[in-house]
């Protein structure tokens, strides 16, 4: 086997919080040493784990503060095996040249499927009928029950989830309208509309798939609800702040809206077992779920594989595609030079302070060692630069020393 820059079995990966086992399997398959634990340690225990880890995998509970990250001696990358990354001090990781990866789109389909289930559930009053049956009430009648076929679904926010909902809804014979602040390619026969108010007026079911930000805060309030069709339904699987719940309850109780499905709320309990307190409790034909839109075993597995793959690509190749806090660079594999046979090219991975002259200093130092640069990739983002240089096989240790000692260097690795 050719000598490598760092033995893979010495790369210590620590996966906390019961991350899907397929992630550990993929990382072990790469030859890394992987340690897994189900809990989310804090305090001294977490510091100890961070201190020795090359790669740290967490979900949403473990708080990687500036201090915790500061305790690391050899951390190369963090994998958030979830959607959000606010549990990590991204700035501290960035200034240490530690990319943070997550899996923003692995639960897209899960949310889309739940949305479709709710569209049918609401138009057939499924939860109301089921509740009655559990109480022993047999009430067989068709009044107010509809097929979704032929009805109009209005999708607000035509991004990853919204466009998947569009595909599934059309497959069931629904007419699909959508409204997005950006121009979006329509799937199938879906039709974009020019304004939210146009969408609200024309739809039998309105489903929200927008991000949470200042422009979407209370996007659906009393005025918007009043402009919806009588008997229409509202689905919110996006974020709690997008709907004014008091206004929604009033619209439902007045009989203007016939039903709603809510998976997200302005105030959600922070842990299982805590009471869910909300004005929407007890309102008829309202489906309530505890923020489980993206929570399926399939999504967990997909998240495990997605983040593990991003970590593998970064450790082995230097690719930062999908990182949320450093410039993204997609890199080719480190191939061998065709005319020299077996030896892999050397690759310098260099995070540095983004000031003029760093690149030319690198070139000069590498040229002084007689090494030939065969490829170069550079991306900068504000104060941070990430440059990757491929070189014909050379003396990796000397190159490493020459580049690492450039004053603007934040982090330098050389792979061969
Ligand atoms: P995305 O970023 O792919 O799509 C969002 C779309 O909304 C974009 O096309 C954007 O241009 C559009 N948009 C932004 N502001 C808008 C406005 N004011 N009016 C109309 N359109 C607007 O996001 P993705 O992945 O589709 O997620 C959508 C929402 O679903 C997010 O809020 C996300 O947090 C939430 N979500 C909820 C989950 C759950 O468990 N219930 C799981 C995953 C995501």
């Amino acid at each position: 086997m050719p000598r490598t820059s760092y033995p893979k079995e010495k790369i210590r990966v620590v996966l906390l919080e019961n991350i899907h086992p397929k992630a550990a399997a993929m990382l072990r398959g790469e030859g890394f040493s992987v340690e897994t634990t189900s809990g989310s340690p804090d305090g001294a225990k977490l510091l100890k784990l961070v201190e020795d880890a090359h790669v740290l995998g967490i979900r949403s509970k473990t708080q990687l503060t500036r201090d915790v990250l500061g305790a690391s001696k050899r951390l190369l990358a963090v994998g958030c095996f979830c959607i959000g990354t606010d549990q990590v001090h991204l700035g501290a990781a960035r200034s240490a040249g530690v990319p943070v990866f997550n899996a923003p789109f692995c639960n897209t389909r899960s949310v889309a499927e739940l949305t479709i289930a709710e569209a049918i559930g609401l138009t057939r009053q499924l939860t109301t009928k089921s509740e009655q049956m559990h109480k022993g009430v047999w009430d067989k009648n068709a009044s107010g029950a509809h097929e979704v076929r032929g009805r109009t679904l209005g999708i607000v926010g035509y991004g990853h989830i919204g466009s998947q909902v569009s595909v599934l809804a059309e497959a069931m014979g629904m007419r699909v309208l959508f409204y997005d602040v950006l121009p979006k390619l329509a799937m199938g026969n879906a039709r974009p509309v020019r304004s939210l108010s146009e969408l609200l007026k024309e739809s039998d079911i309105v489903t929200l798939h927008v991000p949470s930000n200042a422009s979407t805060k209370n996007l659906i309030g009393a005025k918007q609800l009043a402009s919806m069709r009588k008997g229409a339904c509202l689905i919110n699987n996006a974020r709690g702040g997008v709907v004014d719940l008091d206004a929604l309850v009033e619209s439902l109780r007045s009989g203007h809206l016939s039903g709603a499905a809510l998976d997200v709320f302005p105030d959600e309990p922070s842990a299982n077992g805590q009471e869910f307190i909300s004005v929407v409790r007890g309102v008829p034909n309202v489906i309530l779920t505890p923020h489980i839109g993206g929570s399926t075993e399939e999504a967990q597995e997909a998240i495990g594989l997605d983040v593990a793959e991003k970590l593998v690509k970064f450790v082995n190749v230097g690719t930062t595609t999908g990182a949320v806090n450093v410039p993204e660079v997609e890199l080719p594999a480190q191939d061998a030079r065709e005319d020299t046979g077996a030896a892999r090219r050397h690759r310098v991975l260099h995070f540095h302070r983004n000031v003029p002259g760093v690149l030319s200093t690198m070139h000069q130092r590498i040229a002084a060692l007689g090494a030939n640069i065969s490829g170069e990739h550079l991306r900068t983002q504000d104060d941070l630069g990430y440059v990757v240089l491929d070189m014909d096989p050379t003396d990796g240790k000397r190159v490493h020393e020459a580049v690492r000692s450039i004053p603007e260097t934040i982090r330098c690795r050389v792979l061969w």
Side-chain angles (χ1 to χ4, degrees):
M1 232 174 87
R3 205 167 65 85
T4 56
S5 44
Y6 195 79
K8 284 200 176 182
E9 68 278 9
K10 286 198 177 167
I11 300 218
R12 189 159 171 265
V13 181
V14 177
L15 300 181
L16 309 176
E17 299 190 58
N18 222 359
I19 287 164
H20 197 280
K22 289 219 170 155
M26 182 190 282
L27 293 157
R28 282 195 185 105
E30 285 298 317
F32 305 150
S33 299
V34 181
E35 194 182 307
T36 60
T37 146
S38 59
S40 163
D42 52 14
K45 211 169 163 198
L46 179 60
L47 290 180
K48 181 78 196 112
L49 284 170
V50 173
E51 190 181 351
D52 292 332
H54 290 94
V55 174
L56 195 59
I58 60 168
R59 289 173 66 188
S60 50
K61 278 204 195 106
T62 307
Q63 298 297 314
L64 297 185
T65 60
R66 185 181 281 284
D67 287 347
V68 172
L69 289 165
S72 75
K73 286 190 193 141
R74 45 187 72 95
L75 194 61
L76 294 176
V78 170
C80 295
F81 287 76
C82 51
I83 314 299
T85 51
D86 49 1
Q87 69 282 37
V88 181
H89 195 304
L90 295 178
R94 174 185 164 89
S95 50
V98 173
V100 176
F101 298 96
N102 66 340
F105 309 121
C106 288
N107 57 11
T108 297
R109 188 70 177 200
S110 303
V111 182
E113 287 191 10
L114 181 69
T115 303
I116 295 297
E118 289 166 339
I120 297 174
L122 290 170
T123 48
R124 298 296 294 271
Q125 301 166 355
L126 279 190
T127 50
T128 310
K129 293 287 177 200
S130 174
E131 272 166 32
Q132 286 175 339
M133 290 290 281
H134 280 285
K135 287 182 193 147
V137 178
W138 183 269
D139 179 23
K140 177 178 159 67
N141 82 63
S143 167
H146 298 278
E147 293 182 352
V148 291
R149 180 175 54 161
R151 292 176 84 77
T152 301
L153 179 70
I155 300 173
V156 184
Y158 205 65
H160 291 89
I161 298 172
S163 54
Q164 284 289 312
V165 171
S166 175
V167 171
L168 296 176
E170 280 206 318
M172 294 191 308
M174 297 188 83
R175 181 174 164 252
V176 176
L177 306 178
F178 68 87
Y179 168 67
D180 199 293
V181 283
L182 298 177
K184 295 280 170 164
L185 177 69
M187 312 296 279
N189 294 317
R191 183 165 68 82
V193 294
R194 296 174 64 88
S195 67
L196 178 61
S197 57
E198 189 181 340
L199 179 134
L200 295 175
K201 275 187 205 121
E202 281 196 46
S203 303
D204 300 303
I205 302 169
V206 172
T207 183
L208 308 174
H209 301 290
V210 292
S212 168
N213 60 33
S215 84
T216 59
K217 175 98 183 130
N218 286 337
L219 186 70
I220 304 295
K223 186 171 153 226
Q224 290 73 24
L225 292 164
S227 73
M228 286 172 67
R229 287 182 169 177
K230 182 159 169 52
C233 297
L234 179 73
I235 299 174
N236 183 14
N237 291 332
R239 282 294 176 263
V242 176
V243 178
D244 176 346
L245 287 188
D246 290 318
L248 175 65
V249 169
E250 210 175 305
S251 179
L252 289 161
R253 291 215 188 269
S254 75
H256 183 65
L257 251 60
S258 67
L262 305 170
D263 187 47
V264 288
F265 307 89
D267 296 306
E268 298 179 4
S270 56
N272 284 347
Q274 280 179 12
E275 187 179 356
F276 166 63
I277 298 168
S278 173
V279 289
V280 292
R281 272 175 50 179
V283 183
N285 207 25
V286 174
I287 300 173
L288 299 177
T289 46
H291 203 146
I292 45 132
S295 305
T296 61
E297 293 190 13
E298 286 78 6
Q300 287 309 314
E301 179 179 330
I303 288 169
L305 292 172
D306 184 48
V307 179
E309 189 170 0
K310 286 171 180 162
L311 292 168
V312 166
K313 278 184 156 183
F314 176 68
V315 173
N316 285 351
V317 182
T319 289
T320 49
T321 307
V324 297
N325 64 333
V326 301
E328 293 185 68
V329 178
E330 178 70 33
L331 295 164
Q334 254 171 289
D335 55 347
R337 221 183 103 149
E338 275 161 29
D339 57 349
T340 55
R344 234 171 32 138
R345 289 179 201 273
H346 281 56
R347 175 167 285 176
V348 175
L349 309 168
H350 189 256
F351 286 106
H352 56 268
R353 283 189 284 118
N354 182 23
V355 295
V358 177
L359 216 52
S360 63
T361 309
M362 279 177 88
H363 289 166
Q364 282 161 18
R365 292 191 178 198
I366 289 169
L369 293 174
N372 184 43
I373 296 174
S374 55
E376 181 168 299
H377 310 260
L378 168 72
R379 286 296 292 272
T380 59
Q381 196 183 66
D382 304 324
D383 58 347
L384 185 69
Y386 183 41
V387 66
V388 179
L389 298 176
D390 280 347
M391 284 169 297
D392 292 345
T394 181
D395 183 338
K397 286 196 170 148
R398 287 181 67 207
V399 168
H400 186 237
E401 194 39 52
V403 175
R404 199 177 56 144
S405 57
I406 295 173
E408 290 81 11
T409 300
I410 291 173
R411 194 63 175 265
C412 177
R413 283 196 295 151
V414 181
L415 306 177
W416 67 85

